[in-house]
Structure formats: structure tokens, C-alpha cells
Amino acid sequence: MTAIHRGRRLAGWLALGLAMAMALGGPARAQSTPLVVEAALDREVVAPLLAAFRAAHPEIRLDFRDRSTLEVDARVAAGEPAPDVVISSAMPWQMARVNEGYARRLDSPAARRWPAWAKWRDEVFGFTFEPIVMAYRLDLSRHMVPPQTHADLHRLLTTEPARLAGRVTTYSPLESGVGYTLFQQDARYTPRFWDLVAGMGRVDARLEASTRAMLEGLSEGRYWLGYNLLGSYAMVWAQDHPEVIVQVPQDYSLVMMRMAFIHRDAPHPQAAEAFVDFLLGREGQRVLAGQTPLFSVRPDIVGPYTAQRLRDQVGERLYPIPLNASLLAFVDPQRRDAFLARWRREFRRDD
């Protein structure tokens, strides 16, 4: 057999092997590592970050599952199989799961350098810095001065009950983990918090399970005013819906962090570590700061959405929800039941 014939036969075998590999899914697909992320994080908002991770790690096949905070929490314990990474804005629930031993410690340079105020035991990390806002429909400004502070909101609920009847919306603390957390924090900082709850009840405020539901109601004209929305979602929405105005409260603004941890039983721990490292790393934080309104945490990042820029704009009126063991008290069953019982009582107050 001549060298030419041998070369042709070898090329033929290679072509056949390649065709068979393609039929079976291809060598790249066979070698890729799956990564399952259970997240309470809107895919539309986080899309630039996910795209950047896929570009940086083509060897990892990312399966990002967007759910509610309470659904995410339920899947942490359910397992079978466990997710690789868990992300949620319901900070007390995340802290409770980590405290129960569901998190795997991340020992990496990025984790060690992460700010102490935004992590706990190198097991769970707050990687965003999101203000909590009010939002209103332009229709509101034709009838009354839009609120800029919590006191302004209370005044409107008290003086404009007829016009606002059924047109105010906020989180349901029973259906949303993040909603419950925000009300718990409000009770710390607003002296007249329970009067505010009573005022919302007086105008028959509509309780929703998500910021998206509140924003849809504002755009559709069902609602005029929304309270305690996630600023990241609201800012993205307002870009395409000019009828919705976002207002960062001027007396104080709570700040929430998305918390991420690697599940202790992660089926693909190396891929999980790569993902969390990307969230904490310079490239991931740069995407957060420049392409999403999730606001980056790292002080060495420059962009329109950074924690430092938000502090420069709002000053000392930013109140980040602390990422520490104090969050565990919020999910204590007796404390939660007592808080929700009073919330229902005040919401129904008629005076």
C-alpha cells in the first residue's frame, strides 16, 4: 500500500470517528462538566454575568434555575441530587442553611480576600449590593407629590386613602422570604413602622410574592405606588417602561445582598468553586458593575453600579442588612410567628 493510500485510509477512519463522536454528542460535550445553580435571581437581570461565565469557562455546562426564595430554600435540604451552588436574596434563610451545615467552605484567594462584612466563615458570600426602593407610576404625580421618604409614604397613606385604595403594592411577608426580611429590617429603622403597616392595610394594599409582580401591576396601571421593591429589578424594568419611576428613599435605604454558597453535597464541586470564584473575582464583579444593576461589592471596581458609587450618592443613609449570625434570629419559628401575627393584626387595624 502506498503512502498516499495509507493517508487516505487514515483520513477516512478519522472522518468516520469524528462523525460517530458528533452523533453521540461530540467530544466537547462529552468532556464538559455540568453545573446546577439554584437561584432566586431573575435570569433577565443576571444574563450578562451568566454569558461572561460561559465565555470564561466553556468547559462547564451551566444549568441556571431561577426560582422563588422559598422554593430555593426548600431545594437546599431536599437534595437528591443536591444543587452545586445556591443563590438567594432571602438572607436569613441562606444563613440558617449554612449554619445547619449545608455549605462547603471555599478556600481560594478570591474567598480569602473578600470583605469580612460580606461573608461568613468563608462558606457564604454576599456578592451584590442592592438598594431597596419605592416605585411609582407617573399617574400618581398628577394627583399628589410622590413620596421620597418613609415619612412621606406614611403621610400619603393617611391623607389620600380614597385615591390610593387598592393602588398600593408591597411584598407579602407570608409568601416571600425576602419580603419578610425587609419588613423585619424596617421595624429596626422606622420608628413608626407599625403605623406604616396599618396605613397600607387602610388603603387595602395588594400583597405580592415578587418585585416583578409589583412592577407588572405598576405598568398595567393597576397600581400607582410600590413599596420595598428590589432596586435591581426595578431599575431594569424602568429602562423599558418609562411610566415607572424608581425612587431610592431619601431618609434611609435598606441594602440587600444576594448570598451564594456551594452545597456540601455538590455533585460537581470543582465547577461550583469556579462559579463562586467568578462571582467574587474581578471579571464577574466588573460585569455586575457595568452591565447589571445588581451593584458590585469589590472596592477596586469602577462602573455605574458599584457599592461605592451608591454610597457616594446616598451617603450614610444606606443601611446594609448585616451578613452575620444575627440573621438567624429572623428564622426562629417563635419570633417569626410572633412578627407575622402582629403584622396581620396591624395590617387589619381600623382607626
Side-chain angles (χ1 to χ4, degrees):
M1 183 182 293
T2 66
I4 293 176
H5 285 104
R6 286 196 299 271
R8 286 175 178 171
R9 176 171 289 186
L10 178 60
W13 282 112
L14 289 174
L16 178 61
L18 179 60
M20 292 177 64
M22 293 291 287
L24 294 173
R29 185 174 181 83
Q31 295 172 10
S32 65
T33 302
L35 173 66
V36 175
V37 178
E38 291 283 359
L41 179 52
D42 194 311
R43 187 187 301 272
E44 179 184 0
V45 175
V46 78
L49 183 70
L50 302 182
F53 175 77
R54 288 188 175 103
H57 293 276
E59 77 283 3
I60 296 176
R61 190 167 69 253
L62 175 60
D63 182 3
F64 183 87
R65 302 172 181 178
D66 176 20
R67 308 185 191 276
S68 73
T69 53
L70 297 183
E71 286 174 333
V72 169
D73 181 68
R75 289 174 182 273
V76 173
E80 299 180 7
D84 293 299
V85 177
V86 182
I87 296 174
S88 178
S89 53
M91 296 175 66
W93 275 261
Q94 288 285 84
M95 183 64 76
R97 291 304 187 186
V98 172
N99 191 56
E100 291 166 3
Y102 281 97
R104 175 191 179 104
R105 187 173 183 271
L106 177 60
D107 185 15
S108 71
R112 290 191 292 272
R113 288 194 300 264
W114 200 243
W117 57 267
K119 67 179 179 180
W120 195 49
R121 300 192 310 203
D122 285 335
E123 293 179 358
V124 63
F125 304 87
F127 67 96
T128 67
F129 195 81
E130 303 170 53
I132 305 304
V133 303
M134 294 186 281
Y136 61 90
R137 187 177 170 85
L138 279 175
D139 300 49
L140 180 80
S141 60
R142 298 177 189 149
H143 303 282
M144 61 196 78
V145 177
Q148 294 188 340
T149 66
H150 293 80
D152 290 344
L153 175 61
H154 180 259
R155 175 181 53 78
L156 289 183
L157 296 174
T158 303
T159 60
E160 300 283 357
R163 281 180 172 165
L164 291 177
R167 288 174 168 164
V168 176
T169 184
T170 190
Y171 270 112
S172 165
L174 287 80
E175 298 181 56
S176 167
V178 67
Y180 166 77
T181 303
L182 297 178
F183 284 127
Q184 278 273 12
Q185 293 294 314
D186 270 333
R188 297 178 58 192
Y189 298 117
T190 302
R192 301 192 65 183
F193 170 71
W194 294 114
D195 291 335
L196 187 63
V197 173
M200 288 189 285
R202 197 173 302 116
V203 300
D204 193 22
R206 300 299 195 251
L207 306 180
E208 298 283 8
S210 70
T211 287
R212 186 177 188 88
M214 291 187 256
L215 292 168
E216 288 175 349
L218 287 166
S219 285
E220 293 166 4
R222 292 182 286 114
Y223 305 143
W224 281 3
L225 178 60
Y227 175 65
N228 267 7
L229 290 78
L230 300 185
S232 53
Y233 293 173
M235 290 173 187
V236 167
W237 187 272
Q239 290 174 2
D240 296 324
H241 299 83
E243 71 279 1
V244 175
I245 308 300
V246 177
Q247 173 68 58
V248 178
Q250 295 301 293
D251 51 345
Y252 77 86
S253 176
L254 296 175
V255 176
M256 178 212 73
M257 288 182 280
R258 308 273 171 171
M259 292 169 61
F261 67 84
I262 300 170
H263 198 287
R264 70 182 180 196
D265 301 320
H268 315 100
Q270 289 184 326
E273 290 180 5
F275 185 77
V276 176
D277 267 340
F278 187 80
L279 297 181
L280 309 182
R282 184 173 181 79
E283 178 60 20
Q285 289 283 298
R286 186 188 63 79
V287 173
L288 287 178
Q291 301 180 48
T292 80
L294 293 167
F295 289 86
S296 66
V297 171
R298 284 178 58 139
D300 59 339
I301 300 296
V302 177
Y305 301 111
T306 68
Q308 188 55 53
R309 181 159 183 171
L310 190 61
R311 287 192 178 101
D312 292 342
Q313 293 173 344
V314 183
E316 298 303 315
R317 298 184 300 276
L318 281 178
Y319 293 168
I321 299 173
L323 199 165
N324 56 39
S326 68
L327 287 170
L328 296 173
F330 297 146
V331 290
D332 175 76
Q334 289 186 331
R335 176 169 177 167
R336 185 168 186 265
D337 289 346
F339 183 89
L340 292 177
R342 183 169 183 187
W343 199 96
R344 286 189 289 263
R345 187 168 65 250
E346 299 289 348
F347 192 77
R348 296 169 184 158
R349 188 206 307 175
D350 186 11
D351 56 11

